[in-house]
Amino acid sequence: MEFTRTLGRSGIQVSALGFGCWAIGGEWQDDTGQPLGWGKVDAEESVRAVRRALDLGVTFFDTADVYGTGHSERVLGRALGSRRDDVVVATKWGNLFDPDTRTLTGTDDSPEHLRRALTASLRRLGTDHVDLYQLHLADADPDRAARLRDACEELVAEGLIRAYAWSTDDPARAAVFAEGPHCAAVQHALNVLDDAPELLSLCEKNDLASVNRSPLAMGLLTGKHRGGRSLEAGDIRNRPPAWLRGFGSGGADPEWLARVDALRDILTSGGRTLAQGALAWLWARSPRTVPIPGFRSVAQAEENAGALAKGPLTERQMTEVERVLRREAAGAA
């Protein structure tokens, strides 16, 4: 049976699993040299991985203009090719960057930049419209963001976008965009280690989809960071900024890894891999969730897409997860 979700009140149907295209953007940095990508990538492997995901039933792909300073959008557009109309494409705007040096150079929350950024994204993606266009400035001023919401409504009327959203972890900011008729979602951090009840409540109240970034906790929920796994120099997790939870200067946070280990038996039940179990938790957490795990290879695409066939965790398993996490929290206190 096909496992799908609806992007809120837009009525747009997507696979219950989306694929996040941050990692396939490759290496990029801020103006201080801080890595903002996930390390080197092979564009040909990225194309093969996207096409394999399509073959396995994934119909929702989330990227941003700044990922790899345009590289992610170009690779995604090339990979989709003639199958563009079979999928729902989401991208984001708000950041300024220099593609020649692959450097983030600033931000722009003006309506004028919104239109310029969309025009550039359409060109890189090789399409005439974006299905879900998302503000990428998590802490943008709410009053200025209201102007952007209204500008997005104009873009919907022109047929350049079908719906829009804000990528933010602040419910009050998300509520500003939710007032717009064609707002369809909130993109926010959510995983079994880091719940977001206020944002899920807002999505329920306003009939919005919950698009989940960091569904695998930046890789912690894949099980590949045990034993102090080293990270390459161009990987953001090697020198994690303050907002990146679960990692420190020495790599993965041992406390977070202990919580993953405590959940391992529950999440790997039913023949699931650890990552598939983490995605199953998200689907059981709310009927509005659409997790968007990242990927850099065909093998990762196959593993993530394999979660679709196994579906959500049971109510009993969800209760057990909460019991384990409460016990772990009490034990750490």
Side-chain angles (χ1 to χ4, degrees), residues 179-198:
E179 293 177 10
H182 291 89
C183 180
V186 181
Q187 183 170 145
H188 63 93
L190 179 66
N191 58 63
V192 66
L193 302 176
D194 197 12
D195 202 359
E198 287 185 61

Side-chain angles (χ1 to χ4, degrees), residues 25-37 65-71 95-107:
E27 292 183 291
W28 53 295
Q29 62 187 2
D30 69 12
D31 56 9
T32 70
Q34 163 71 49
L36 295 173
D65 58 1
V66 76
Y67 292 163
T69 59
H71 182 72
N95 289 292
L96 302 174
F97 52 88
D98 180 350
D100 292 333
T101 60
R102 287 190 162 234
T103 302
L104 172 70
T105 58
T107 61

Side-chain angles (χ1 to χ4, degrees), residues 307-319:
L308 285 165
K310 297 179 172 64
L313 294 183
T314 65
E315 187 175 339
R316 182 175 177 179
Q317 288 168 326
M318 293 295 283
T319 300

Side-chain angles (χ1 to χ4, degrees), residues 107 143 249 309:
T107 61
D143 291 333
S249 58

Side-chain angles (χ1 to χ4, degrees), residues 9-22:
R9 54 197 186 223
S10 72
I12 299 171
Q13 292 283 310
V14 297
S15 52
L17 179 72
F19 268 33
C21 300
W22 179 10

Side-chain angles (χ1 to χ4, degrees), residues 85-157:
D85 290 340
D86 298 335
V87 304
V88 172
V89 172
T91 192
K92 309 180 194 76
W93 92 93
N95 289 292
L96 302 174
F97 52 88
D98 180 350
D100 292 333
T101 60
R102 287 190 162 234
T103 302
L104 172 70
T105 58
T107 61
D108 190 336
D109 64 356
S110 69
E112 294 76 21
H113 176 67
L114 161 60
R115 191 171 285 270
R116 285 194 301 269
L118 176 60
T119 299
S121 285
L122 292 173
R123 183 179 65 250
R124 285 188 291 265
L125 288 163
T127 186
D128 62 359
H129 72 281
V130 166
D131 298 291
L132 184 68
Y133 203 36
Q134 302 160 106
L135 176 58
H136 206 180
L137 306 178
D139 298 325
D141 177 82
D143 291 333
R144 291 179 64 84
R147 294 174 57 210
L148 296 176
R149 177 198 66 211
D150 296 342
C152 283
E153 287 291 335
E154 294 175 12
L155 295 173
V156 172

